[in-house]
Amino acid sequence: SSSGQSIAWSPDGTRIYYTKFDFQRNVNLYNDIYYYDLRREEEVRVTRRLRARDPNPSPDGKKLVFVTSKLGKTRLALLDVSKGRRRPAREEDITYITEESETLYETPRFSPDGSRIVVGVRQSGGYKDIWILDSAGNKIEELMHDRANDGGAAWSPDGKVVYFASDRTGIFNLFACELETKKMYQITNVLTGAFAPTPSPDGKTLVFSSYSARGFDIHMRPADSASWREVLPYT
């Protein structure tokens, strides 16, 4: 159990990073980051008492970007994981790349070349949008700023498209933003909700979560853009 919304593979496929609750002194409840080592078949703790969640490794596997929270505010942070650690990381071991803010960050993701980070943001006024930052945490652009709920962003393997889920049709569906043209396309048209798009390494398939009367299931569909439908800006 945790409030983390995502899991992530290490680039070499030997680790799965995730968020997990930890009780301290039977009173305090903290999110912290762990990974499961598939070779050793063991769980390894990465952070301690950082209220950290939503880890994502850089393409070279040397750094983790993740969200930390404190007193209702969040920040994005980096942790060097290129060398083995004898103990879980504490605050003195991490580097913050954004200021403490009432903007609530979620699910940061490195671009395939490691130069950018796509991240979900919840802002005052009820806005839930997607930003792109550089690797130092500086905002490059806002992909949207509208009344739709947008999130779960993921890069295409070539870094040219950002996939995301949005309720701009009244039901959560999958969409794509073409970064060069800023055009947006609807990918799915389901009746009960589609979430968390993730492309395959070759970019040919999208895996996503969908909801039905049976609960949540995992589905796959081609990522062929020929079937996408361009959508107008949401107002």
Side-chain angles (χ1 to χ4, degrees):
S1 297
S2 75
S3 63
Q5 300 183 45
S6 59
I7 59 177
W9 289 95
S10 63
D12 63 4
T14 63
R15 297 178 179 182
I16 300 174
Y17 289 97
Y18 52 94
T19 312
K20 184 177 176 180
F21 274 145
D22 181 47
F23 284 95
Q24 296 288 334
R25 299 179 181 176
N26 297 321
V27 176
N28 296 321
L29 190 63
Y30 289 85
N31 278 319
D32 269 306
I33 294 170
Y34 293 73
Y35 70 81
Y36 189 81
D37 189 319
L38 295 171
R39 293 172 299 186
R40 299 181 179 180
E41 298 186 345
E42 65 178 7
E43 182 179 72
V44 178
R45 183 170 190 153
V46 179
T47 66
R48 183 180 296 278
R49 298 187 182 182
L50 286 183
R51 292 190 170 94
R53 56 178 168 81
D54 293 342
N56 182 251
S58 57
D60 60 9
K62 294 181 179 180
K63 294 181 180 179
L64 278 184
V65 63
F66 53 90
V67 180
T68 67
S69 60
K70 184 179 181 180
L71 299 176
K73 297 181 179 181
T74 65
R75 303 177 80 171
L76 293 184
L78 291 177
L79 174 66
D80 186 345
V81 291
S82 61
K83 299 178 181 179
R85 288 183 169 273
R86 295 183 179 179
R87 60 171 177 80
R90 298 180 183 269
E91 189 163 18
E92 61 268 22
D93 301 312
I94 67 176
T95 300
Y96 290 111
I97 60 172
T98 63
E99 296 296 323
E100 194 173 71
S101 171
E102 292 181 356
T103 296
L104 301 181
Y105 295 105
E106 60 184 28
T107 60
R109 289 287 178 269
F110 275 108
S111 63
D113 65 1
S115 67
R116 295 166 293 170
I117 297 169
V118 66
V119 63
V121 293
R122 294 176 182 265
Q123 303 175 79
S124 60
Y127 292 95
K128 188 175 184 297
D129 302 308
I130 297 169
W131 292 357
I132 292 181
L133 317 178
D134 64 22
S135 59
N138 302 301
K139 184 168 68 172
I140 299 174
E141 61 179 316
E142 300 182 10
L143 295 189
M144 70 286 288
H145 186 71
D146 52 39
R147 303 312 306 188
N149 288 305
D150 306 301
W155 296 92
S156 62
D158 60 9
K160 295 180 179 181
V161 171
V162 169
Y163 299 105
F164 63 98
S166 175
D167 70 349
R168 59 190 57 228
T169 61
I171 296 170
F172 274 97
N173 271 289
L174 305 186
F175 292 80
C177 178
E178 192 176 68
L179 296 179
E180 183 176 356
T181 64
K182 300 302 184 290
K183 291 181 179 179
M184 289 195 183
Y185 300 88
Q186 184 175 346
I187 300 175
T188 64
N189 186 26
V190 301
L191 298 177
T192 53
F195 311 89
T198 302
S200 58
D202 62 8
K204 295 181 179 180
T205 304
L206 276 179
V207 178
F208 62 96
S209 173
S210 71
Y211 186 76
S212 71
R214 298 175 301 177
F216 282 96
D217 293 296
I218 302 298
H219 291 270
M220 294 190 299
R221 60 152 291 141
D224 181 11
S225 61
S227 64
W228 299 354
R229 180 175 66 87
E230 186 175 352
V231 295
L232 297 176
Y234 186 83
T235 58

